[in-house]
Amino acid sequence: LNIYTTVTAQRQKAADDALFKGLMAYDHRHGYRGPEKSLWTKGASPWSTEQIFAHLDEIATIEPFEPGVVTKVADRSVDVLLKGGLQARIDWEGLSWARPFISDSRQGAAPRKAADILKTGDQIWVWPETESKLWLVQIPDANAALIALDPIDGAVEAISGGFSFQVSKFNRALQARRQVASNIKPFLYSTALDHGFTLAS
């Protein structure tokens, strides 16, 4: 059985990356909603490394994010234990975006030190962008979809139905019922331009 498709792996990856980065940027602009939970309260005995790793093993990974627990808060960095028995450090570059979320239109003051954002015992999500560069992240509240079409022949070149299949199996590109809204503009305006109209018409 041979199956031929207009979708290429390269363009599909580009679509997935664009959707991921767009949602991450949007979510970061709206501020940090805080850790998933705190495993121990201030003044209580911290969990042992074995307890932390056992707890993390029970949490499903949401690629490309990894669950972690903060074990040390320095001035401008935090040390974390990650699922799989890994130890890592998030530097200030990966933390400084985390202004507190207040509402969709308001964020708190920019953090000046790591303690303004996290404390030991916090269960968080971490994105290892590279082996040496880690980011404090959160599962985006917003979601999105992307369909890329060839404007010449209408061939589908990429489809991305949401942030993560592990978070939601609902494919927004194919299953969503959405209003036509501005989707009609490219067809209407391109036809007008094709018939001699200009931007001043």
Side-chain angles (χ1 to χ4, degrees):
L1 177 64
N2 295 325
I3 299 175
Y4 299 91
T5 175
T6 54
V7 176
T8 64
Q10 181 183 10
R11 293 190 177 180
Q12 182 60 50
K13 184 179 185 309
D16 290 338
D17 287 348
L19 190 75
F20 172 79
K21 290 177 180 176
L23 283 170
M24 288 282 288
Y26 176 86
D27 203 60
H28 281 189
R29 287 196 302 271
H30 285 75
Y32 185 54
R33 296 182 297 278
E36 292 288 309
K37 63 169 70 171
S38 293
L39 301 186
W40 61 85
T41 57
K42 186 176 181 179
S45 298
W47 287 17
S48 68
T49 302
E50 291 76 15
Q51 286 177 298
I52 293 173
F53 284 138
H55 173 75
L56 291 173
D57 284 341
E58 296 176 359
I59 302 173
T61 298
I62 298 175
E63 296 181 1
F65 298 165
E66 291 283 349
V69 175
V70 178
T71 56
K72 181 183 177 183
V73 178
D75 183 39
R76 292 203 157 196
S77 67
V78 295
D79 291 348
V80 293
L81 296 180
L82 301 177
K83 184 177 180 177
L86 302 175
Q87 300 184 26
R89 173 169 293 172
I90 306 176
D91 292 322
W92 188 242
E93 183 182 1
L95 294 169
S96 58
W97 68 269
R99 297 173 63 179
F101 172 87
I102 297 174
S103 70
D104 284 340
S105 58
R106 286 186 61 211
Q107 296 80 46
R112 296 183 178 180
K113 57 186 185 300
D116 294 337
I117 309 164
L118 297 169
K119 63 183 184 304
T120 57
D122 283 348
Q123 178 189 316
I124 60 172
W125 289 101
V126 176
W127 175 37
E129 184 180 13
T130 64
E131 287 187 9
S132 59
K133 187 175 180 182
L134 273 68
W135 290 81
L136 169 69
V137 292
Q138 57 195 355
I139 308 302
D141 259 358
N143 220 312
L146 186 154
I147 300 178
L149 303 175
D150 186 320
I152 304 301
D153 59 11
V156 177
E157 299 200 343
I159 298 178
S160 191
F163 174 75
S164 169
F165 189 72
Q166 294 156 309
V167 173
S168 169
K169 294 174 175 53
F170 183 71
N171 188 328
R172 289 153 190 82
L174 302 177
Q175 295 174 292
R177 291 183 179 180
R178 52 193 170 276
Q179 297 174 332
V180 176
S182 294
N183 289 340
I184 199 170
K185 289 179 182 177
F187 302 100
L188 182 67
Y189 294 158
S190 60
T191 303
L193 293 171
D194 202 37
H195 284 76
F197 285 82
T198 71
L199 295 177
S201 300

